[in-house]
């Protein structure tokens, strides 16, 4: 759902910017009555909010599955998961449609290839930024909670030993150590993914919230409007790549390849040292 949403937003927004550059015209000049400008601004707000809500839903799902597994197993169902995307789209559509009642709230920003909510309309812009800020805080809190829970699970698994029952030691200490190493590797992969997701999400989303709460004169002077749009656009581009490249199976494959190379180098170095010693003795 996240990849589909980001791909749909890119396919619906990017051609407008390419057409503006190809015709050497601003978005306002591309169509009468500022239709392209209004479309671009609405699409930007809609897909940005939908992406944020989807990341929040994923963070909340991870938090419940690891922090509250009994509640998660009882109340979170597959049918509820399938209803997440229509719910997110409906909420985003209703919330982002409020400025359409007064299209003058959308304005064109420099260099004329993008439109967004007018900075003087501080009420709705700050409301939108506040919602994004609350989502950022919620995602950070959920991800940090998951990271802490995984660290606690790892420490408990290291302190635990075989119980008195025969069934707990049936596989022997070697099999148990292998199982602990696999569990530790999986936890490390999830920690890496969650940490990178959290950092990327915060870095790409915070400039827009700063822009919304800044004064109009100071934001134009420091070019915060253009920087905020760039970071907000980068977020939807990076997210699918982070989930595709840094998935736990991919990380395990990369780690196995690196470990194999390191072991081969160590073995070659050992063989070289062993062959040098007889020559030195001779």
């Amino acid at each position: 759902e996240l990849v589909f949403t980001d791909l749909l937003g890119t396919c619906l927004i990017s051609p407008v910017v390419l057409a503006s550059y190809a015709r050497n015209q601003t978005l306002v000049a591309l169509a009468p009555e500022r239709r392209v400008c209004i479309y671009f601004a609405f699409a930007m707000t809609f897909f940005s909010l939908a992406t944020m809500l989807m990341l929040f839903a994923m963070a909340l799902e991870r938090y419940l599955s690891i922090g509250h597994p009994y509640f998660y197993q009882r109340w979170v169902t597959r049918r509820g998961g399938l209803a997440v995307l229509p719910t997110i789209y409906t909420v985003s559509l209703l919330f982002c449609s409020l400025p359409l009642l007064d299209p003058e709230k959308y304005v064109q920003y420099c260099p004329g290839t993008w439109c967004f909510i007018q900075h003087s309309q501080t009420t709705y812009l700050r409301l939108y930024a506040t919602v994004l800020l609350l989502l950022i805080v919620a995602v950070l809190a959920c991800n940090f909670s998951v990271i802490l829970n995984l660290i606690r699970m790892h420490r408990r698994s290291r302190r635990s030993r075989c119980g008195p029952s025969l069934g707990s030691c049936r596989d022997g200490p070697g099999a148990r150590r292998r199982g602990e190493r696999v569990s530790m590797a999986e936890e490390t992969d999830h920690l890496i993914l969650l940490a990178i997701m959290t950092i990327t999400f915060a870095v790409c989303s915070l400039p827009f919230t700063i822009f919304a709460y800044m004064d109009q004169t100071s934001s134009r002077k420091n070019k915060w409007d253009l920087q905020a749009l760039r970071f907000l656009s980068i977020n939807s581009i990076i997210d699918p790549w982070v989930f595709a490249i840094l998935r736990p199976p991919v990380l395990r494959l990369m780690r196995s390849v690196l470990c194999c190379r390191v072991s081969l180098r160590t073995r070659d170095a050992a063989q070289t040292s062993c062959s040098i010693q007889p020559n030195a003795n001779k």
Side-chain angles (χ1 to χ4, degrees):
E1 293 176 356
L2 178 67
V3 174
F4 170 76
T5 302
D6 290 332
L7 179 62
L8 184 63
T10 303
C11 293
L12 294 179
I13 296 175
S14 298
V16 178
V17 183
L18 296 177
S20 175
Y21 277 106
R23 297 185 179 183
N24 197 20
Q25 293 179 341
T26 62
L27 296 184
V28 175
L30 284 178
E33 299 180 1
R34 304 171 61 249
R35 294 175 182 175
V36 177
C37 182
I38 296 174
Y39 163 78
F40 185 93
F42 172 78
M44 278 294 300
T45 54
F46 172 79
F47 285 105
S48 298
L49 181 61
T51 302
M52 302 292 184
L53 287 174
M54 206 161 295
L55 289 174
F56 168 70
M58 297 176 65
L60 182 62
E61 190 265 346
R62 286 191 301 271
Y63 167 74
L64 293 176
S65 63
I66 295 179
H68 304 278
Y70 295 107
F71 177 86
Y72 176 80
Q73 186 177 7
R74 182 176 180 181
W75 295 103
V76 180
T77 60
R78 185 180 298 272
R79 182 178 300 177
L82 294 176
V84 170
L85 182 62
T87 303
I88 289 177
Y89 275 15
T90 303
V91 172
S92 301
L93 184 63
L94 293 176
F95 185 79
C96 296
S97 297
L98 295 177
L100 293 177
L101 301 176
D102 185 12
E104 296 298 328
K105 292 183 179 181
Y106 294 131
V107 297
Q108 181 176 269
Y109 286 88
C110 182
T113 56
W114 68 286
C115 295
F116 207 72
I117 305 169
Q118 188 175 358
H119 200 281
S120 60
Q121 299 291 337
T122 56
T123 303
Y124 181 80
L125 182 63
R126 290 184 177 179
L127 178 62
Y128 185 84
T130 303
V131 172
L132 293 186
L133 183 61
L134 292 177
L135 291 175
I136 292 172
V137 174
V139 170
L140 291 176
C142 291
N143 285 343
F144 280 129
S145 177
V146 171
I147 291 174
L148 292 178
N149 285 326
L150 289 176
I151 293 175
R152 292 170 185 170
M153 291 166 59
H154 175 61
R155 290 179 178 177
R156 285 197 299 265
S157 65
R158 290 183 61 183
R159 289 195 301 263
S160 62
R161 294 293 182 268
C162 290
S165 60
L166 295 177
S168 59
C169 299
R170 186 183 306 167
D171 295 333
R176 187 173 183 274
R177 283 194 295 269
R178 286 193 298 270
E180 288 180 352
R181 286 196 297 268
V182 172
S183 177
M184 178 181 176
E186 292 179 352
E187 293 171 4
T188 304
D189 295 338
H190 284 287
L191 284 175
I192 294 173
L193 178 61
L194 288 175
I196 295 178
M197 280 175 48
T198 305
I199 295 173
T200 304
F201 182 71
V203 170
C204 293
S205 304
L206 285 178
F208 174 75
T209 59
I210 297 175
F211 159 72
Y213 285 97
M214 287 179 65
D215 184 68
Q216 186 176 2
T217 304
S218 59
S219 65
R220 289 182 178 178
K221 182 179 180 181
N222 299 322
K223 297 182 179 179
W224 267 99
D225 49 1
L226 188 58
Q227 299 297 333
L229 173 80
R230 286 172 177 171
F231 277 95
L232 203 62
S233 303
I234 289 173
N235 187 29
S236 61
I237 298 174
I238 293 180
D239 283 335
W241 289 100
V242 171
F243 284 107
I245 297 176
L246 299 180
R247 291 173 56 232
V250 179
L251 290 177
R252 285 195 291 269
L253 178 61
M254 296 170 59
R255 187 174 57 251
S256 63
V257 172
L258 292 176
C259 291
C260 290
R261 290 183 177 179
V262 171
S263 61
L264 287 175
R265 291 178 181 176
T266 305
R267 186 171 60 185
D268 293 339
Q271 291 178 356
T272 304
S273 61
C274 291
S275 62
I276 291 175
Q277 288 179 359
N279 293 331
N281 294 331
K282 290 180 181 180

